[in-house]
Amino acid sequence: MGAAFLAALQSGASTTLLTVTSPQVAAQTSVVAPVATAVQGAPVAYLPRASSNLPTSGPAGVGAVAVDSTFTTTTSAAGAPLKLASLLLLPFAMVAVVLGLKKSQPVAMAAVSGTPVASAPLPSYTDIEFPPLKNERMLRAARGEAVDRIPIWVMRQAGRYLPEYREFMSDKEFFTVCKDPKQVAEITLQPILRYDLDASIIFSDILVIPQAMGMAVSLQPTVGPVFEEPVRDKATWNKMQDRLLGELGLTVTPEMTSAEKNALLVANADKLVSPSLDYVYDAITETRTQLDGRVPLIGFCGAPMTLAVYMIEGQGSRTFTHTAQLFLGDPETAHEMLTVLTHMCAHYLMNQVRAGAQALQAFDSYAGALSPEVWMEFSYPYMKLIADMVKKEFPELPTICFAKDAHYALDVLSETKYDIIALDSSLDLGACHEKMTSKGKGVQGNLDPTVLYAPPEKITELVADKLQKAFGDGSKIPTKYIANMGHGMSPDHDPEHLRAFIDAIHAFGQ
């Protein structure tokens, strides 16, 4: 069969060939899926990569088979669809499909050049039964598939700028609410019920990880999060190691080194995030159920270095004095702390997926706090390890990383297993999208949040201008792109101005 297709491909007749890159679909389809639709006027045949002998590149006149989307078109070197010598193979394809589709799952639809084509079913990594997903745009964009409009969600989309949030929280304490699954679900759904968003993100906080380590954190109105006892030296870290090992029921002897204690904590990192953080997983399950398939649910964590900065400084900082002192003065202790945090974050994220999260984001909010050299040593290896661990368990789950104020991080982050690189507002959207997609990655972002202080009509104008500069005249919806802010919503943003932003994003290319 492969030889027949190759011969036909080189002869130059009239069928576009689409290659299935999804292992689920390939495993369920016997030989060739149906000639079911048309792309640019040509009949379309689908061939599972698993059963194909087609090369990824061929001789002169035969183009490469792209592999950056679920279904990819084989084209000639000139860019036109490759032609088949005859359509004699089509009846055989149709028979194979009738047999193969009996075992296959229903497939969703995505738009390619304005024509709907079949897309692979999205993977599910949970045993919990949830309502079927009705809006898959964000997930499919993360996978590099075509969508009918740009998907958008916004960091801190459930927050103090919303009057319904302020009313709900008026008599409640923040971290207490985070531990109540039904209250978390209600807050998470507030922006979904108000706006035409394409994703939700669980209402929680990155500092639940230090809380799971026994650190007391309070949220003070004018300061933000404040830790009772920061970890600023080896003695305090060793004290935490001993306490955590004791809570795990593991024996600590005077002869044990700090490195040996750390190895035990890493080996038991899954127990450090459950049952202590089961309330987060319960909230994810409750929220996804209440979402009723409206949009996908994103889980998240803080990046290890960002968490360590909070734990070391004891609160937000402008100078990062204590962090620099520990990282540069006692890097061994800093790396031990970061290693434990990394394994806790990875298990925490994987538990969120099992509870129902359909995508994940790691927030490195303090990525730009110190020098590029510090980030490369104390953040990048740990961000990479989180992606490695999560993707080993859930290979097709969409993952996003956000390294704020760290433009120098883009190249190395593109070498990790994250699918989407989120951009802050300082970066050029079009240039970054072109560069990242050339490396097989997508981008998210990156409107400056201060634009939302403009009148709605100006927001519409600025968004349209930004998208046109990045992606052209709108004749084609960009792939591997998720719209967002370059950072989160501010408490004094006007909710109606966010609506103008969302509508302007959705209007592009329509």
Side-chain angles (χ1 to χ4, degrees):
M1 192 65 159
F5 266 104
L6 282 175
L9 284 173
Q10 294 178 3
S11 69
S14 69
T15 296
T16 299
L17 184 69
L18 294 182
T19 304
V20 178
T21 62
S22 166
Q24 289 93 338
V25 174
Q28 295 176 47
T29 309
S30 55
V31 180
V32 180
V35 179
T37 185
V39 175
Q40 298 176 339
V44 178
Y46 299 111
L47 182 69
R49 183 175 295 281
S51 62
S52 168
N53 294 319
L54 290 174
T56 56
S57 62
V62 180
V65 179
V67 293
D68 63 349
S69 61
T70 302
F71 290 98
T72 54
T73 307
T74 301
T75 61
S76 69
L82 288 170
K83 310 297 184 179
L84 291 178
S86 74
L87 299 179
L88 293 178
L89 289 174
L90 297 186
F92 299 100
M94 296 301 292
V95 171
V97 164
V98 171
L99 297 174
L101 289 183
K102 289 182 180 179
K103 298 184 289 182
S104 68
Q105 300 177 12
V107 292
M109 305 302 289
V112 177
S113 301
T115 304
V117 299
S119 293
L122 295 170
S124 176
Y125 293 114
T126 178
D127 295 328
I128 304 170
E129 291 291 330
F130 290 109
L133 185 58
K134 303 163 190 172
N135 179 347
E136 300 177 340
R137 291 182 183 94
M138 180 266 183
L139 300 182
R140 294 202 176 278
R143 288 158 60 93
E145 299 176 21
V147 290
D148 60 348
R149 72 181 189 188
I150 295 174
I152 176 174
W153 69 278
V154 179
M155 289 181 275
R156 287 204 296 261
Q157 64 188 30
R160 289 175 289 169
Y161 76 101
L162 289 175
E164 54 265 42
Y165 175 88
R166 294 194 299 270
E167 180 180 357
F168 183 86
M169 294 293 291
S170 61
D171 59 349
K172 299 176 181 68
E173 193 274 328
F174 178 84
F175 285 114
T176 302
V177 170
C178 289
K179 295 181 180 180
D180 187 316
K182 290 193 178 297
Q183 291 184 338
V184 167
E186 181 172 344
I187 294 174
T188 303
L189 263 69
Q190 285 178 348
I192 303 303
L193 298 175
R194 178 183 275 259
Y195 301 116
D196 185 17
L197 290 160
D198 296 295
S200 58
I201 184 166
I202 194 68
F203 180 78
S204 186
D205 195 272
I206 64 172
L207 298 182
V208 297
I209 292 280
Q211 286 179 325
M213 301 172 81
M215 298 190 75
V217 187
S218 61
L219 200 61
Q220 299 184 10
T222 59
V223 181
V226 176
F227 288 78
E228 282 186 12
E229 186 180 0
V231 182
R232 294 176 178 169
D233 52 42
K234 188 175 187 67
T236 311
W237 173 242
N238 290 157
K239 179 181 175 182
M240 179 179 284
Q241 287 177 312
D242 292 346
R243 179 174 49 75
L244 290 174
L245 290 170
E247 292 171 359
L248 291 170
L250 300 173
T251 302
V252 179
T253 63
E255 296 79 19
M256 289 179 66
T257 65
S258 183
E260 290 170 336
K261 295 174 185 177
N262 228 60
L264 279 176
L265 289 174
V266 167
N268 291 274
D270 58 329
K271 299 179 181 66
L272 294 175
V273 296
S274 181
S276 61
L277 295 176
D278 283 0
Y279 63 86
V280 177
Y281 318 136
D282 292 341
I284 285 173
T285 301
E286 176 67 25
T287 301
R288 183 167 167 189
T289 300
Q290 290 196 30
L291 279 168
D292 194 31
R294 291 179 182 89
V295 293
L297 179 60
I298 303 169
F300 71 91
C301 74
M305 191 182 89
T306 289
L307 297 178
V309 168
Y310 273 111
M311 293 167 65
I312 296 164
E313 296 294 333
Q315 61 185 63
S317 175
R318 293 178 182 270
T319 61
F320 306 99
T321 304
H322 302 294
T323 304
Q325 288 172 342
L326 184 64
F327 280 13
L328 304 178
D330 186 2
E332 181 179 301
T333 295
H335 282 298
E336 285 184 358
M337 183 189 305
L338 289 163
T339 301
V340 172
L341 285 169
T342 299
H343 285 265
M344 289 180 68
C345 286
H347 285 287
Y348 175 57
L349 290 174
M350 291 188 284
N351 286 346
Q352 291 183 51
V353 175
R354 297 182 186 105
Q358 292 152 289
L360 298 172
Q361 176 158 320
F363 287 85
D364 201 357
S365 304
Y366 279 142
L370 298 170
S371 69
E373 292 77 17
V374 167
W375 185 85
M376 280 297 298
E377 179 179 350
F378 294 95
S379 183
Y380 171 67
Y382 302 104
M383 289 279 283
K384 180 179 182 298
L385 180 56
I386 288 174
D388 289 344
M389 292 177 68
V390 170
K391 284 292 193 176
K392 182 178 180 180
E393 189 76 10
F394 308 121
E396 292 191 66
L397 185 89
T399 53
I400 308 166
C401 64
F402 178 47
K404 186 176 180 293
D405 299 326
H407 59 89
Y408 45 80
L410 293 183
D411 284 337
V412 290
L413 287 175
S414 72
E415 298 169 3
T416 67
K417 293 184 179 179
Y418 292 102
D419 302 292
I420 299 290
I421 312 301
L423 311 174
D424 64 41
S425 303
S426 68
L427 294 162
D428 183 283
L429 176 58
C432 289
H433 181 265
E434 183 178 1
K435 184 174 186 178
M436 290 299 105
T437 54
S438 73
K439 298 184 177 186
K441 304 298 182 183
V443 299
Q444 176 179 280
N446 67 335
L447 186 83
D448 186 341
T450 62
V451 168
L452 293 194
Y453 294 119
E457 60 274 14
K458 186 65 175 179
I459 294 170
T460 301
E461 176 188 334
L462 292 171
V463 170
D465 182 63
K466 184 179 183 71
L467 293 178
Q468 287 169 9
K469 287 179 179 177
F471 305 119
D473 60 5
S475 58
K476 182 180 179 182
I477 304 296
T479 57
K480 293 188 177 181
Y481 174 59
I482 301 166
N484 206 311
M485 300 285 190
H487 201 246
M489 293 293 292
S490 295
D492 59 349
H493 275 144
D494 186 324
E496 288 308 303
H497 291 202
L498 176 58
R499 188 185 307 279
F501 171 51
I502 295 167
D503 291 346
I505 292 290
H506 283 159
F508 184 78
Q510 302 303 306

